[in-house]
Structures are given as C-alpha cells and as structure tokens.
Amino acid sequence: MSDGFHQIKGWCGSVESVLFLQILLEWLSERKANGGACEIGVHHGKYLIALHNLLVPCVSLGIDVFEDQAKNIDQSGNGSLEICRSNVTSFAVEPQSLDLLRVDSLTLNQQDIARLIDKYGLFSIFSVDGGHTPLHTYRDLVTATQLTSAEGVVAVDDMFNPDWPGVTEGVYNMLSPKASPFVPLFITRRKLFLCHVTVQKQFSFFVSRRYAE
C-alpha cells in the first residue's frame, strides 16, 4: 500500500479507501470466513491486488474483457492483461493465488457460476467495477452476490457518480425487485457496499461499535 498502490493505474480512491477495510478482517475472522477477493472490471489490478493482499492467505480472481475492447461498449475502462499480470507478479502477496480470467461478464451463465464456486469457493470481498451501463451493473451485481459468502461484502464502484448514471440505475434495478439477498450496508465517497440481508443489522452494529472505540 505504501509503494505499489501508487504505481498502478486506476481510480479506486486513496490508500485509506483500502486500509479502512481492515475492520472487515475482524468481522470475517470472527465468523471463520476465509474466502478471497474477486473483481469484475480489473483494469490494471490496482484494487484487486490490494484486496487480495488484505485477505491472504486466500485464492482470488479478476474478471475483465481486457484487450477485447469491442465488448467494452461504454468505454468505462481499458484494461491490459499483460500489464495486470505484471502488476500481480510485482505487487501481489502470493501472486500464484491470484488468477485472471479474460471474459465478458455478461456471458457468464449458471454453469459458469457453479464452476467458479467449485474452483474458488465463495469470496469474502467482491468488487463490481466492470461495464457502467444499467444492464452491466445489474448483471454483474447478481453474479457477485451469487459468488460472495453470506459473511462477505460486495462493493459497487461509482454509485451516484453523475458521470456514470447507469451504475446507480443498475443498482436500483437489482434492489427494487429483490433480485438478490444482498442489501446496502454503507456507502463511501466512491463505493456502495452491500451485505447479506441476514447479517445486515449485526454487521452495522459491529462496524458502528468498532469505530466508536
């Protein structure tokens, strides 16, 4: 966080935007949850590597179209698989435990989800930062909540960002019909965090108590 974070191109916020997630480690440890990190919309790996390093030992996964920019219809990022792999090698703790998958997240079906669960288990932190259209955000959020443990959190980038209104629309489209058991937990300047509805009150109380201390 003191060196590599500043060397990787990305827009996930400041060092503090990752360091404050240390509180999640206490929450996850109490519940014996040891899943890794996953991100849709990896770009050059800045946020994914930080999350992976936060959670190790674990197995993590990044999903992105990378150079297949014809599928990046809203031009919300321009990732590079080669650069991302280089950054993983240089800055990830246990880089062999962080995989990268070049695929359009809209094509993931239930069989794909099942295969990912078989290979990686359920993740503890999932970042949604792929396509910023309402459809991409909705579909990626549903995918994220299927791949995240009930003790984990899902982070959505660019919520309420006026430059990317499709993200906010997609989040509401997911929440309004209750398409997922994940519900809002808290919001930062850049991201909305969601958790499983069964732990929302416990999680809120835990975070409030810890920051009160």
Side-chain angles (χ1 to χ4, degrees), residues 21-205:
L21 293 177
Q22 291 277 356
I23 194 171
L24 292 179
L25 298 184
E26 299 177 40
W27 167 266
L28 295 168
S29 178
E30 284 186 8
R31 284 149 187 82
K32 296 180 173 54
N34 57 2
C38 186
E39 182 170 44
I40 294 177
V42 177
H43 193 58
H44 293 170
K46 187 183 187 85
Y47 195 54
L48 176 62
I49 293 170
L51 294 179
H52 173 74
N53 289 354
L54 187 74
L55 294 170
V56 287
C58 66
V59 179
S60 299
L61 174 66
I63 299 170
D64 200 300
V65 297
F66 291 113
E67 286 82 5
D68 194 0
Q69 287 297 299
K71 296 173 182 175
N72 181 17
I73 61 174
D74 62 349
Q75 301 300 300
S76 54
N78 189 3
S80 165
L81 182 58
E82 181 181 355
I83 293 174
C84 192
R85 281 176 173 163
S86 175
N87 287 334
V88 168
T89 300
S90 298
F91 303 115
V93 179
E94 299 182 3
Q96 72 280 2
S97 298
L98 200 169
D99 292 341
L100 299 173
L101 176 64
R102 181 163 61 185
V103 68
D104 182 355
S105 60
L106 289 183
T107 67
L108 295 175
N109 56 38
Q110 290 306 304
Q111 290 182 328
D112 297 322
I113 299 296
R115 283 193 287 267
L116 290 175
I117 293 173
D118 285 342
K119 184 172 183 179
Y120 298 98
L122 294 174
F123 297 101
S124 290
I125 303 179
F126 201 114
S127 170
V128 174
D129 194 15
H132 281 34
T133 69
L135 175 61
H136 280 86
T137 304
Y138 173 86
R139 289 281 300 276
D140 289 348
L141 263 175
V142 172
T143 296
T145 59
Q146 291 177 309
L147 289 171
T148 303
S149 72
E151 299 82 15
V153 295
V154 174
V156 188
D157 195 52
D158 283 321
M159 184 68 175
F160 297 130
N161 186 334
D163 294 329
W164 300 105
V167 172
T168 303
E169 182 179 348
V171 169
Y172 281 126
N173 288 344
M174 191 274 283
L175 292 175
S176 57
K178 296 182 173 58
S180 161
F182 277 66
V183 294
L185 176 65
F186 60 86
I187 192 166
T188 67
R189 185 170 65 89
R190 291 179 179 267
K191 298 180 184 292
L192 169 70
F193 286 80
L194 303 102
C195 69
H196 200 280
V197 64
T198 58
V199 299
Q200 183 191 34
K201 290 185 178 179
Q202 301 171 48
F203 211 150
S204 297
F205 176 74

